[in-house]
Amino acid sequence: MNSFGRLFRIHIFGESHGASVGVVVDGCPAGIALGPDDFLNDLARRKSGSIGTTPRQEEDTPELVSGVFNGFTTGAPLTVIFRNLNTRSQDYAKLRETPRPGHADYTASVKFGGFEDYRGGGHFSGRLTLGLVAAGVVARKIIHPVTIGASLMEAGGKSDIQKAIEEAVARKDSIGGIVECRVQNLPAGLGEPFFDSVESLISHAVFSIPAIKGIEFGSGFNAARMWGSEHNDAFVSPDGITRTNHAGGINGGITNGNELVFRVAVKPTSSTSQVQHTLNFKTGQMTDLKIEGRHDTCIALRVPVVIEAVTAAVLADLMLLEQKVNRIIHSRTK
Amino acid sequence: MNSFGRLFRIHIFGESHGASVGVVVDGCPAGIALGPDDFLNDLARRKSGSIGTTPRQEEDTPELVSGVFNGFTTGAPLTVIFRNLNTRSQDYAKLRETPRPGHADYTASVKFGGFEDYRGGGHFSGRLTLGLVAAGVVARKIIHPVTIGASLMEAGGKSDIQKAIEEAVARKDSIGGIVECRVQNLPAGLGEPFFDSVESLISHAVFSIPAIKGIEFGSGFNAARMWGSEHNDAFVSPDGITRTNHAGGINGGITNGNELVFRVAVKPTSSTSQVQHTLNFKTGQMTDLKIEGRHDTCIALRVPVVIEAVTAAVLADLMLLEQKVNRIIHSRTK
Amino acid sequence: MNSFGRLFRIHIFGESHGASVGVVVDGCPAGIALGPDDFLNDLARRKSGSIGTTPRQEEDTPELVSGVFNGFTTGAPLTVIFRNLNTRSQDYAKLRETPRPGHADYTASVKFGGFEDYRGGGHFSGRLTLGLVAAGVVARKIIHPVTIGASLMEAGGKSDIQKAIEEAVARKDSIGGIVECRVQNLPAGLGEPFFDSVESLISHAVFSIPAIKGIEFGSGFNAARMWGSEHNDAFVSPDGITRTNHAGGINGGITNGNELVFRVAVKPTSSTSQVQHTLNFKTGQMTDLKIEGRHDTCIALRVPVVIEAVTAAVLADLMLLEQKVNRIIHSRTK
Amino acid sequence: MNSFGRLFRIHIFGESHGASVGVVVDGCPAGIALGPDDFLNDLARRKSGSIGTTPRQEEDTPELVSGVFNGFTTGAPLTVIFRNLNTRSQDYAKLRETPRPGHADYTASVKFGGFEDYRGGGHFSGRLTLGLVAAGVVARKIIHPVTIGASLMEAGGKSDIQKAIEEAVARKDSIGGIVECRVQNLPAGLGEPFFDSVESLISHAVFSIPAIKGIEFGSGFNAARMWGSEHNDAFVSPDGITRTNHAGGINGGITNGNELVFRVAVKPTSSTSQVQHTLNFKTGQMTDLKIEGRHDTCIALRVPVVIEAVTAAVLADLMLLEQKVNRIIHSRTK
């Protein structure tokens, strides 16, 4: 399903080397001030250019195609499109024979029977995250004053990230990283028991982002090594604030009013300048593959804003959902 | 949303101390042989009784209320109910004042305004996983010959699990653990780009299970510390088999035909025999809370079969989905 | 999909001659007073017994299996079950060979490959509407003070319904009817442009009821024969009240605050005491089929309360939905 | 929800006087030959220009923005956009004060709090049906060799449609009509019991089209006036063909392999050249409203191709759905 969310719903489309990529956002309430400038900051954070990211100069100009009128959202489907202006013609025939290890080339070919647009990753390209970031910009406005901040905590296993990237550039190899995301001012009571636990929804959204291979909430994998008496977060105030926050702000799948905390593992960029020994599916022989062009050394550098965006989308959905049920009953029973 | 899946859809219901718990499974194909005995093995694996699990003798007799006729599924909604026979009357008033740390008592109360059934965890109880296990039994039949095996790799940080539990019992504390799940014989091509990546769907389902706080696929968090050239899995045969399996069987969100591998972090049981210093919300004072009764020392012991069940449900859904699209086109284009 | 609704979601299950039929309602807000007695009135209206309905004494005792605690809904999935106590063993083998004209016997067999429970209509039985009526009881409480009233306007083409039924009984044949449904006190602004227009949702729900073959809103089919100047409803007051109500309370798919009005065509009961000349699929020969037992002469007599129930479910969903979006923005922009 | 379908999913967007209107189609199988020319015929049928339709020269050039590569669908989301080139600036301020009777002006304003794009009907405009028609073009290719044909049976209550329109033009008024749709070559077994009956899904889709006020299947409202013995369609051949087709090709919500037949009531165009006496919401006084510009005299002329399109979308969805379940089991049980 190419849709995510129940009330605040996102649908993305496009290919890396097609006409454009974009997003349709359904369920955005009417009356939110929104213009192209609102997108610039997050798009810039996602953009390439710094050391460790690809120098491809992408044109990331958002066109608000529908759902905005006189500077405000209308409540109708909101469509944002980014045209692909800077696609280079290239020889992709070779890649058809030797699907790149770690990429979706092979699985896309199996799934879509060879009809997929294979140029530059096609629909699997990281460029599709432009639509996610755009949706996140809208979502943040809905959840205000909730704030979300994600940052890269380590790259290539090192906390000195600048150094880690320089080393990787020198080695002509790629590295991954760990991104931590924290959410403040979140009300208690979001999420559902079981299938729509907050962890379920956030992990669902986060694993939609290419290159993510792990997620943990609160103490996460470390929790599996703690005593129960140590892990339990004692309540200390009537608004549900706890002394510790091993739970990462979630009990029973539902936010408890403490800071929401999770960490995400980003694998190293699959494209590297290293020669890779892999199968040529046409000849049936192993072959040496060298991927041409300039690549991100550390795609994890560009991930935090995308993590924030999908988190904002999940929370916008949950806050809209929660709103509905609360009101109707409170006005009845009180 | 209390539903999971697109074609193979699960809805669970019930409370720990209510009349019963159960599951409605929609979209199960007609013609699958199914009887109460099919459930016994998985129910037994989930059941309490061994060291480290609670001795409460639950009656886990599945009643096939609908969707089965003459020993086969009919294609109509399949309902399985487990009556709650062994619920003990108990004083829950105290727990209302001092929500148990690590439990959903507080968040449920916030979310449902005090109307929630708070007896024994109510709808948040681990007893609801009976419905998940039952759905998993059906799902396994659909995905045959795909096999799923999950096992507890470590408990309380130790690989000698028996010893870890004995130590926890002696300390009167609880411990968590790490469960690893492996899936064999899975076809390539399952899952979708972005929102319905295999990682998205499995993590969504897995985080529906109480006490789960982390998940990683393939090399997972370790991948964030590897070089790209080291992490990429080189193809070695035309069916997509790779030399290594750092990706855990998934590229671009889609299965690649290799073994699917993921690991899950289970937190320590929230109920422990240790005294906990926490807030009495009625008096506004901190108080000592001791949770009466016998508790699971290590709930992670009971988790593997539930992990298998929800994984089977996800894969049944994806295999039914994939089937549909393949056929119509293959018969057209070939 | 065996589910209906976005926030207020219904799933039904069961077979006519199985263990029971029932419904799971997801998304019912917590805090609504609810007990078995609340169901009695609507169940009685649906029940058989009057002239023109089958004298089978069904046991329609609702069991509130989950989601209710201390007399109030909890916000967890609400399950209501009706046991089938009065099923008579009968020879259905004959019906397997000669699928009853007008029934689902043939289509069910094609769809489910012969694995369907064919006894008494199985999952296609009108008995499944017990679950719909139960869901409607809950929905009505949510939409209060909105009121819904449906009634049979004509039977067998006659407005004197009693007489029409007596004539049909005398002829040993069955008849259909026209049911009109009117909703008062409905707020303006419910429904969505296009796919979730109020007409779309109500018709979707109404055609879920067996034997329905047509629906029209406001002037309906007569509107197709009117002049535009005649059909347009002029506004006469600032709350959107119109002089006429040819639109049936809906403009652009959205409620306009006037009375919601629609009519439904119910076909004659398929089972009649008349001999029918139809195919024996086993022998391949035409044969005379006489359906044994006592049948409803006019199933339309029992339809109004079911129409009301599914209408209530749609409106509960829409009112919960509308609530959500309005609030968050109004508090922001004002 | 601005989405329709389970596997073949449509999302539409845009406003009459915005940048463009369009559609995203998810779940279209890969490998279907598709190019801009495929759309021309259906777009021409929907287009204005003939007597009784507005002479506005809309530019209906489809841009295939995503999901098509080298002339075939890729399996990725398929996006088609139509730019709005011919929008005339106009004074809409007056219409803000006096919402047009029969239009969505008033309900949109209530629902979206005045933030809606009110120019030319905005998101409620019939121009949005371009996206529906485009989706229908794709859907038809999936369901081949199923054929769908809809035609206008009467306009303004007359079967001589040309004459009816001339009369309406002369009166400077508008008229509605009845459209009949017939589907051939449809397999038996499509649709689900209850919520996703074929009638439920088709009516849901059809009422998404502006100006539709009624739908009936087979004998429809006439069925309510027939005897059961007369209405029941006797089987005459082993492939389910019946002597009569009062059921319109559907039993128990499921296609029976006979022709699918339904009729739709289209109300008269709301915009007429007639002066209308209606409320000025600003002054609170009744006023005379004359809607400027040229309008469709009979919008029903343009409806058949849209009816075909949404019917094709429903059937594509059902055929993809049915495919899936059948296969997996047949290969198992046989």
Side-chain angles (χ1 to χ4, degrees):
Chain A
M1 180 123 77
N2 177 40
S3 299
F4 187 76
R6 289 182 69 192
L7 296 185
F8 184 83
R9 293 174 62 77
I10 311 174
H11 325 274
I12 58 175
F13 59 84
E15 291 88 20
S16 172
H17 287 56
S20 52
V21 300
V23 64
V24 179
V25 177
D26 287 327
C28 178
I32 297 177
L34 189 72
D37 287 356
D38 289 314
F39 295 83
L40 301 186
N41 188 44
D42 280 359
L43 291 174
R45 289 177 62 206
R46 181 198 162 280
K47 207 168 170 28
S48 57
S50 69
I51 178 172
T53 65
T54 165
R56 165 177 166 178
Q57 289 300 326
E58 294 165 317
E59 290 296 333
D60 296 347
T61 310
E63 297 178 29
L64 303 184
V65 166
S66 74
V68 177
F69 178 54
N70 286 345
F72 290 89
T73 59
T74 62
L78 196 162
T79 308
V80 187
I81 281 184
F82 300 87
R83 305 207 188 179
N84 297 324
L85 301 175
N86 197 14
T87 57
R88 282 179 294 181
S89 186
Q90 199 175 321
D91 179 18
Y92 290 98
K94 184 180 170 192
L95 293 182
R96 296 294 283 165
E97 297 180 12
T98 53
R100 294 169 296 173
H103 277 278
D105 297 350
Y106 172 72
T107 54
S109 174
V110 169
K111 185 174 190 70
F112 298 116
F115 290 104
E116 73 278 4
D117 182 347
Y118 45 77
R119 299 168 300 165
H123 181 60
F124 289 81
S125 164
R127 186 157 172 80
L128 270 285
T129 60
L130 276 171
L132 300 180
V133 170
V137 167
V138 181
R140 278 183 209 265
K141 295 206 164 195
I142 294 172
I143 65 176
H144 175 85
V146 174
T147 58
I148 305 175
S151 54
L152 188 60
M153 305 304 283
E154 59 168 74
K158 297 183 178 62
S159 56
D160 183 337
I161 292 163
Q162 176 73 9
K163 206 168 151 187
I165 291 165
E166 288 169 357
E167 186 180 335
V169 169
R171 275 184 64 123
K172 299 192 175 175
D173 213 333
S174 63
I175 52 176
I178 307 285
V179 175
E180 186 174 84
C181 185
R182 291 174 176 272
V183 184
Q184 283 92 23
N185 300 328
L186 201 56
L190 303 182
E192 301 289 331
F194 296 95
F195 299 127
D196 278 3
S197 75
V198 172
E199 293 105 326
S200 288
L201 296 175
I202 289 182
S203 66
H204 190 140
V206 162
F207 279 118
S208 304
I209 305 169
I212 307 297
K213 297 303 279 187
I215 190 169
E216 59 178 6
F217 293 84
S219 297
F221 279 87
N222 278 340
R225 287 138 194 161
M226 294 166 77
W227 298 107
S229 59
E230 182 188 2
H231 182 271
N232 283 347
D233 302 310
F235 292 101
V236 294
S237 91
D239 54 359
I241 297 305
T242 53
R243 184 180 298 120
T244 50
N245 187 16
H246 296 298
I250 307 169
N251 292 132
I254 296 175
T255 57
N256 62 18
N258 290 272
E259 192 180 40
L260 174 65
V261 185
F262 64 91
R263 272 169 306 284
V264 164
V266 186
K267 71 169 186 175
T269 319
S270 298
S271 291
T272 83
S273 298
Q274 298 275 318
V275 173
Q276 301 181 72
H277 197 62
T278 188
L279 188 72
N280 181 315
F281 279 66
K282 191 176 177 193
T283 65
Q285 305 298 313
M286 297 300 287
T287 184
D288 281 342
L289 173 69
K290 184 155 188 318
I291 302 175
E292 303 299 333
R294 308 275 315 243
H295 320 294
D296 281 273
T297 298
C298 179
I299 194 74
L301 286 165
R302 299 165 71 173
V303 164
V305 69
V306 189
I307 297 282
E308 293 175 13
V310 298
T311 303
V314 168
L315 296 176
D317 199 34
L318 290 177
M319 289 176 72
L320 289 170
L321 275 165
E322 197 52 28
Q323 184 129 356
K324 98 253 140 195
V325 178
N326 282 348
R327 298 309 143 86
I328 211 161
I329 287 314
H330 288 185
S331 60
R332 199 75 49 74
T333 56
K334 285 174 183 173
Chain B
M1 180 123 77
N2 177 40
S3 299
F4 187 75
R6 288 183 70 191
L7 297 185
F8 184 83
R9 292 173 62 78
I10 312 173
H11 325 273
I12 58 175
F13 58 85
E15 291 88 19
S16 172
H17 286 57
S20 52
V21 300
V23 65
V24 179
V25 177
D26 288 326
C28 179
I32 298 178
L34 189 72
D37 287 355
D38 289 313
F39 295 84
L40 300 186
N41 188 45
D42 280 359
L43 291 174
R45 289 175 64 206
R46 180 197 163 281
K47 207 168 168 32
S48 56
S50 68
I51 179 173
T53 64
T54 165
R56 165 177 167 180
Q57 288 301 323
E58 293 165 317
E59 291 296 333
D60 295 347
T61 309
E63 297 178 29
L64 304 185
V65 166
S66 74
V68 177
F69 177 54
N70 286 343
F72 290 89
T73 58
T74 63
L78 196 161
T79 308
V80 187
I81 282 184
F82 301 86
R83 304 206 189 181
N84 297 324
L85 300 174
N86 198 13
T87 57
R88 282 178 294 180
S89 185
Q90 201 175 317
D91 179 18
Y92 289 99
K94 183 180 171 191
L95 292 182
R96 296 294 282 167
E97 297 180 11
T98 53
R100 295 168 296 172
H103 277 278
D105 297 351
Y106 172 73
T107 54
S109 174
V110 169
K111 184 172 190 72
F112 299 116
F115 289 105
E116 74 279 6
D117 182 346
Y118 45 76
R119 299 168 300 165
H123 181 60
F124 290 81
S125 165
R127 186 159 172 80
L128 271 285
T129 60
L130 276 171
L132 300 180
V133 170
V137 167
V138 181
R140 278 183 209 265
K141 294 205 165 195
I142 294 172
I143 64 175
H144 175 83
V146 175
T147 57
I148 306 174
S151 54
L152 188 59
M153 305 303 283
E154 59 168 76
K158 296 183 178 64
S159 56
D160 182 338
I161 293 162
Q162 177 73 9
K163 206 168 150 186
I165 291 163
E166 287 170 358
E167 187 180 335
V169 169
R171 277 183 61 125
K172 299 192 174 174
D173 213 333
S174 62
I175 52 175
I178 307 284
V179 174
E180 186 174 83
C181 184
R182 291 174 176 271
V183 184
Q184 283 92 23
N185 300 328
L186 201 56
L190 303 182
E192 301 289 331
F194 296 95
F195 299 127
D196 278 2
S197 75
V198 172
E199 295 105 324
S200 287
L201 296 175
I202 289 182
S203 66
H204 190 139
V206 162
F207 279 118
S208 303
I209 306 169
I212 307 298
K213 297 303 280 187
I215 191 169
E216 58 178 8
F217 293 83
S219 297
F221 279 87
N222 278 340
R225 286 136 196 163
M226 294 167 77
W227 298 107
S229 58
E230 181 188 2
H231 182 269
N232 282 347
D233 301 311
F235 292 101
V236 293
S237 90
D239 54 357
I241 297 306
T242 53
R243 184 179 298 118
T244 51
N245 187 15
H246 296 298
I250 307 168
N251 291 132
I254 295 175
T255 57
N256 62 18
N258 290 272
E259 192 179 41
L260 174 64
V261 186
F262 63 92
R263 273 168 306 283
V264 164
V266 186
K267 72 171 185 172
T269 320
S270 298
S271 291
T272 84
S273 299
Q274 298 275 318
V275 172
Q276 302 180 72
H277 197 62
T278 187
L279 186 74
N280 181 314
F281 279 66
K282 191 177 177 192
T283 65
Q285 304 298 314
M286 298 300 287
T287 184
D288 283 342
L289 172 70
K290 183 154 189 318
I291 301 175
E292 304 298 335
R294 309 274 315 242
H295 321 296
D296 282 271
T297 297
C298 179
I299 194 73
L301 286 165
R302 299 165 73 173
V303 164
V305 70
V306 189
I307 296 281
E308 292 175 14
V310 299
T311 302
V314 169
L315 296 176
D317 199 34
L318 290 178
M319 289 175 73
L320 290 170
L321 275 165
E322 197 52 28
Q323 183 128 358
K324 99 251 141 201
V325 178
N326 282 348
R327 298 308 143 87
I328 210 160
I329 288 316
H330 288 186
S331 61
R332 197 74 48 76
T333 58
K334 284 175 183 173
Chain C
M1 180 124 74
N2 178 39
S3 298
F4 187 75
R6 288 182 70 192
L7 296 184
F8 185 83
R9 292 174 62 77
I10 311 174
H11 325 274
I12 59 175
F13 59 85
E15 290 88 20
S16 172
H17 286 56
S20 52
V21 300
V23 64
V24 179
V25 177
D26 287 325
C28 179
I32 297 177
L34 189 73
D37 286 356
D38 289 314
F39 296 84
L40 300 186
N41 188 46
D42 280 358
L43 291 174
R45 291 176 62 206
R46 180 196 163 281
K47 206 166 168 33
S48 57
S50 69
I51 177 172
T53 64
T54 165
R56 164 177 168 180
Q57 289 301 323
E58 294 165 317
E59 291 296 332
D60 297 346
T61 310
E63 297 179 30
L64 304 184
V65 166
S66 73
V68 177
F69 178 53
N70 286 343
F72 290 89
T73 59
T74 63
L78 196 161
T79 308
V80 186
I81 282 183
F82 300 87
R83 304 206 189 180
N84 297 326
L85 300 175
N86 198 14
T87 56
R88 282 178 294 180
S89 186
Q90 201 174 319
D91 179 18
Y92 290 99
K94 184 180 170 192
L95 293 181
R96 297 294 283 166
E97 297 179 11
T98 53
R100 295 169 295 174
H103 276 279
D105 297 351
Y106 172 72
T107 54
S109 175
V110 169
K111 184 173 189 73
F112 299 116
F115 290 104
E116 74 278 5
D117 182 347
Y118 46 76
R119 300 168 300 166
H123 181 61
F124 290 80
S125 165
R127 187 158 171 79
L128 271 284
T129 60
L130 276 171
L132 300 179
V133 171
V137 168
V138 181
R140 278 184 210 265
K141 295 206 164 195
I142 294 172
I143 64 176
H144 174 84
V146 175
T147 59
I148 305 175
S151 54
L152 189 60
M153 305 304 283
E154 59 168 76
K158 297 184 177 62
S159 57
D160 183 337
I161 294 163
Q162 176 74 9
K163 206 167 150 188
I165 291 165
E166 287 168 359
E167 186 180 337
V169 168
R171 277 182 62 123
K172 299 193 176 174
D173 213 332
S174 62
I175 51 175
I178 307 283
V179 174
E180 185 174 84
C181 184
R182 291 175 176 271
V183 184
Q184 284 93 22
N185 300 328
L186 202 55
L190 303 183
E192 302 289 333
F194 296 95
F195 299 126
D196 278 3
S197 75
V198 172
E199 294 105 326
S200 287
L201 296 175
I202 288 181
S203 66
H204 189 139
V206 162
F207 280 118
S208 304
I209 304 169
I212 307 298
K213 298 303 280 188
I215 190 169
E216 59 178 6
F217 293 84
S219 298
F221 279 87
N222 278 340
R225 287 135 197 163
M226 295 168 76
W227 298 108
S229 58
E230 181 188 4
H231 182 268
N232 283 346
D233 301 311
F235 293 101
V236 294
S237 90
D239 54 357
I241 298 305
T242 53
R243 184 179 298 118
T244 50
N245 187 16
H246 296 297
I250 307 169
N251 291 131
I254 297 175
T255 57
N256 62 17
N258 289 273
E259 193 180 39
L260 174 65
V261 185
F262 63 92
R263 272 169 308 284
V264 164
V266 186
K267 70 170 186 175
T269 320
S270 300
S271 292
T272 84
S273 299
Q274 298 275 319
V275 172
Q276 302 181 71
H277 197 61
T278 188
L279 188 72
N280 180 314
F281 279 66
K282 192 178 175 190
T283 65
Q285 303 299 315
M286 297 300 286
T287 184
D288 282 342
L289 173 70
K290 182 155 191 318
I291 301 176
E292 304 298 334
R294 310 274 314 247
H295 320 295
D296 282 272
T297 298
C298 178
I299 194 73
L301 285 165
R302 299 165 72 173
V303 164
V305 68
V306 189
I307 297 280
E308 293 174 14
V310 299
T311 302
V314 168
L315 297 177
D317 199 33
L318 290 178
M319 289 176 72
L320 290 170
L321 275 165
E322 197 52 28
Q323 183 127 359
K324 94 243 135 152
V325 179
N326 282 348
R327 299 309 142 86
I328 211 162
I329 287 314
H330 289 185
S331 62
R332 196 77 47 75
T333 56
K334 281 173 183 173
Chain D
M1 179 123 77
N2 177 40
S3 298
F4 187 75
R6 287 183 71 191
L7 296 185
F8 185 83
R9 292 174 63 76
I10 310 174
H11 325 274
I12 57 175
F13 59 85
E15 290 89 20
S16 173
H17 286 56
S20 53
V21 300
V23 64
V24 180
V25 177
D26 287 326
C28 179
I32 297 177
L34 190 73
D37 286 356
D38 289 314
F39 295 84
L40 300 186
N41 187 45
D42 280 359
L43 291 174
R45 290 176 62 207
R46 180 198 162 281
K47 207 166 167 35
S48 57
S50 68
I51 178 173
T53 64
T54 164
R56 165 179 167 177
Q57 288 301 324
E58 294 165 315
E59 291 296 332
D60 296 347
T61 309
E63 298 178 30
L64 304 185
V65 167
S66 74
V68 177
F69 177 54
N70 287 343
F72 290 90
T73 59
T74 63
L78 196 161
T79 307
V80 186
I81 283 183
F82 301 87
R83 305 207 187 180
N84 297 325
L85 300 175
N86 198 14
T87 56
R88 283 179 294 181
S89 187
Q90 200 175 318
D91 180 19
Y92 290 99
K94 183 180 171 193
L95 293 181
R96 297 294 283 166
E97 297 180 11
T98 53
R100 295 169 295 173
H103 276 278
D105 298 351
Y106 171 73
T107 54
S109 174
V110 169
K111 185 172 190 73
F112 299 116
F115 291 104
E116 73 279 5
D117 181 348
Y118 45 75
R119 300 168 299 166
H123 181 61
F124 290 80
S125 165
R127 187 159 171 78
L128 271 285
T129 60
L130 276 172
L132 300 179
V133 171
V137 168
V138 181
R140 278 184 210 265
K141 296 208 164 195
I142 294 172
I143 65 176
H144 174 83
V146 175
T147 58
I148 305 174
S151 55
L152 188 60
M153 305 304 284
E154 59 168 74
K158 296 183 177 63
S159 56
D160 183 337
I161 294 162
Q162 176 74 8
K163 205 169 153 187
I165 291 164
E166 288 168 357
E167 186 180 336
V169 169
R171 276 182 62 122
K172 299 192 175 174
D173 212 333
S174 62
I175 52 175
I178 307 283
V179 175
E180 185 175 83
C181 184
R182 291 175 175 270
V183 184
Q184 284 93 21
N185 300 328
L186 201 55
L190 303 182
E192 302 288 331
F194 296 94
F195 300 125
D196 278 2
S197 75
V198 172
E199 294 104 327
S200 288
L201 295 175
I202 288 182
S203 66
H204 189 138
V206 162
F207 280 119
S208 303
I209 304 169
I212 308 298
K213 297 304 279 187
I215 190 168
E216 59 178 5
F217 294 84
S219 298
F221 278 87
N222 279 339
R225 287 136 197 164
M226 295 167 78
W227 298 108
S229 59
E230 181 188 2
H231 181 270
N232 282 347
D233 302 310
F235 293 100
V236 294
S237 91
D239 55 358
I241 298 305
T242 54
R243 184 179 299 118
T244 50
N245 187 17
H246 297 297
I250 307 169
N251 291 132
I254 296 175
T255 57
N256 62 18
N258 290 273
E259 193 180 40
L260 175 64
V261 185
F262 63 92
R263 272 169 307 285
V264 164
V266 185
K267 70 169 187 176
T269 320
S270 300
S271 292
T272 85
S273 298
Q274 298 275 318
V275 173
Q276 302 180 72
H277 198 61
T278 187
L279 187 72
N280 180 314
F281 280 66
K282 191 177 177 192
T283 65
Q285 304 298 314
M286 296 301 286
T287 184
D288 282 343
L289 173 70
K290 183 154 188 319
I291 302 176
E292 304 298 335
R294 310 273 315 244
H295 321 294
D296 281 273
T297 297
C298 178
I299 193 74
L301 285 166
R302 299 165 72 173
V303 164
V305 69
V306 189
I307 297 280
E308 293 175 13
V310 299
T311 303
V314 168
L315 296 176
D317 199 33
L318 290 178
M319 289 176 72
L320 289 171
L321 275 165
E322 197 51 28
Q323 182 129 358
K324 95 242 137 147
V325 178
N326 282 348
R327 300 308 144 85
I328 210 160
I329 288 314
H330 289 184
S331 61
R332 198 75 48 75
T333 57
K334 281 172 184 173

